[in-house]
């Protein structure tokens, strides 16, 4: 079997949303700072980061609409300085099941969709072709945008926008009762040029209305280049009690 690692590498200075605490990694003890009897030494380090930095999965507690979370849960009733007593990422069970890649970039004959391109329901239908999307599947949307990860300014899409699903594409997915969905950009949304993250309707549709978790900043270019469309998908967030999201290292396993 072949295993595709669908997580972007995490390092200082990587592109991320300015709405979340930046990724910082430092060695706090170096080899030689302390040497044990016999000559042994150990190094260790510290991480400081937001839970929505790098490749990560959103909990259902991440977004509310008119004060309500998924299922009509009143956000104010379940949140505190220690996190959420309901719908935190600790309630997301590890996912092992069928994954499908809908490569919208390939549908349009390009490696990368243009900045600000809105992925439509028609795009998803065309990308699925003869594939059936089943309830409980994981559906990943290929835009090619992970190829820009090394160019932070382009990847962020602050000026020119970023490609992603629009509202009708989100509803197309929700109608199929999928379990989880993922894409390559920082925000799982169509981001118009200059619009930033001021409005995120797809998050509302998927997280609040449909109860479908979202994976963002995925590395899907290698899977797309291999023309893999079906695979076993493995997604296991950290069990962070009450957190609104978690770093994750998704895997696609191809027999």
């Amino acid at each position: 079997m072949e295993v595709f690692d669908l997580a972007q590498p995490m390092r200082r200075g990587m592109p991320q949303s300015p709405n979340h605490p930046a990724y910082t990694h430092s060695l706090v003890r170096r080899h030689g700072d302390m040497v044990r009897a016999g000559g042994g030494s150990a190094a260790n380090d510290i991480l400081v980061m937001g839970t929505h930095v790098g490749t990560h999965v959103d909990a259902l507690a991440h977004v509310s609409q008119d004060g309500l979370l998924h299922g009509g849960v009143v956000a104010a009733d379940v949140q505190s300085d220690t996190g959420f007593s309901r719908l935190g990422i600790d309630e997301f069970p590890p996912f092992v099941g069928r994954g499908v890649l809908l490569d919208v970039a390939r549908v349009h004959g390009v490696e990368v969709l243009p900045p600000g391109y809105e992925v439509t329901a028609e795009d998803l239908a065309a990308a699925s072709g003869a594939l059936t999307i089943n309830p409980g599947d994981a559906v990943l949307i290929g835009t090619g945008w992970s190829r820009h990860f090394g160019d932070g300014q382009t990847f962020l899409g602050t000026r020119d926008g970023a490609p992603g699903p629009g509202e009708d594409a989100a509803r197309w997915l929700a109608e199929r009762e999928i379990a989880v969905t993922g894409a390559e950009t920082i925000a799982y949304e169509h981001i118009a040029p200059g619009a930033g993250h001021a409005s995120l309707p797809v998050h509302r549709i998927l997280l609040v209305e449909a109860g479908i978790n979202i994976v963002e900043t995925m590395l899907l270019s290698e899977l797309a280049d291999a023309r893999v469309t079906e695979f076993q998908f493995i997604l296991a967030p950290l069990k962070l009690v009450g957190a609104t999201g978690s770093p994750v290292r998704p895997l696609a396993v191809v027999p």
Side-chain angles (χ1 to χ4, degrees), residues 8 101-106 110-114 141-149 155 163 183-185 218-222 224-225:
Q8 290 283 12
L101 174 64
L102 302 184
D103 191 350
V104 178
R106 187 172 298 279
V110 296
E111 282 195 334
V112 185
L113 290 175
I141 299 178
T143 60
W145 205 247
S146 55
R147 301 180 196 275
H148 288 318
F149 190 72
F155 190 80
E184 298 171 81
T185 54
M218 299 188 77
L219 173 59
L220 299 181
S221 56
E222 296 173 4
D225 288 345

Side-chain angles (χ1 to χ4, degrees), residues 205-238:
I205 292 168
L206 294 176
L207 292 172
V208 181
E209 297 178 10
I212 296 171
N213 295 83
I214 297 171
V215 189
E216 294 168 312
T217 317
M218 299 188 77
L219 173 59
L220 299 181
S221 56
E222 296 173 4
L223 202 61
D225 288 345
R227 302 206 175 195
V228 173
T229 56
E230 289 185 87
F231 43 88
Q232 184 181 54
F233 185 60
I234 302 172
L235 181 71
L238 299 178

Side-chain angles (χ1 to χ4, degrees), residues 10 120 159 228:
M10 302 182 75
T120 65
R159 184 189 68 185
V228 173

Side-chain angles (χ1 to χ4, degrees), residues 15-247:
Q16 65 161 84
S17 168
N19 296 327
H20 301 283
Y23 175 89
T24 302
H25 170 228
S26 297
L27 281 180
V28 294
R29 177 177 289 175
R30 300 170 183 266
H31 290 291
D33 288 349
M34 184 191 76
V35 179
R36 296 183 175 90
S41 181
N44 56 55
D45 34 18
I46 185 171
L47 290 175
V48 178
M49 59 183 291
T51 55
H52 299 268
V53 174
T55 306
H56 65 276
V57 57
D58 290 350
L60 299 185
H62 180 45
V63 171
S64 67
Q65 180 66 37
D66 300 321
L68 301 179
L69 302 172
H70 176 63
V73 175
V74 178
D77 291 346
V78 296
Q79 67 184 2
S80 70
D81 60 351
T82 61
F84 284 83
S85 60
R86 294 277 310 280
L87 304 181
I89 199 61
D90 52 303
E91 293 188 11
F92 182 99
F95 179 94
V96 179
R98 181 175 183 253
V100 174
L101 174 64
L102 302 184
D103 191 350
V104 178
R106 187 172 298 279
V107 167
H108 291 275
V110 296
E111 282 195 334
V112 185
L113 290 175
Y117 180 83
E118 180 175 345
V119 173
T120 65
E122 289 74 19
D123 285 328
L124 298 184
S128 61
L131 288 173
T132 300
I133 307 300
N134 301 316
D137 283 348
V139 177
L140 312 182
I141 299 178
T143 60
W145 205 247
S146 55
R147 301 180 196 275
H148 288 318
F149 190 72
D151 179 356
Q153 202 64 23
T154 300
F155 190 80
L156 285 171
T158 305
R159 184 189 68 185
D160 299 324
E167 293 185 54
D168 70 325
R171 296 195 187 284
W172 188 90
L173 292 168
E175 288 168 1
R176 281 151 183 79
E177 300 180 343
I178 64 172
V180 63
T181 184
E184 298 171 81
T185 54
I186 284 174
Y188 184 104
E189 299 267 350
H190 157 241
I191 302 297
H197 298 174
S199 177
L200 301 175
V202 170
H203 279 64
R204 169 180 51 78
I205 292 168
L206 294 176
L207 292 172
V208 181
E209 297 178 10
I212 296 171
N213 295 83
I214 297 171
V215 189
E216 294 168 312
T217 317
M218 299 188 77
L219 173 59
L220 299 181
S221 56
E222 296 173 4
L223 202 61
D225 288 345
R227 302 206 175 195
V228 173
T229 56
E230 289 185 87
F231 43 88
Q232 184 181 54
F233 185 60
I234 302 172
L235 181 71
L238 299 178
K239 205 163 187 178
L240 304 174
V241 176
T244 64
S246 169

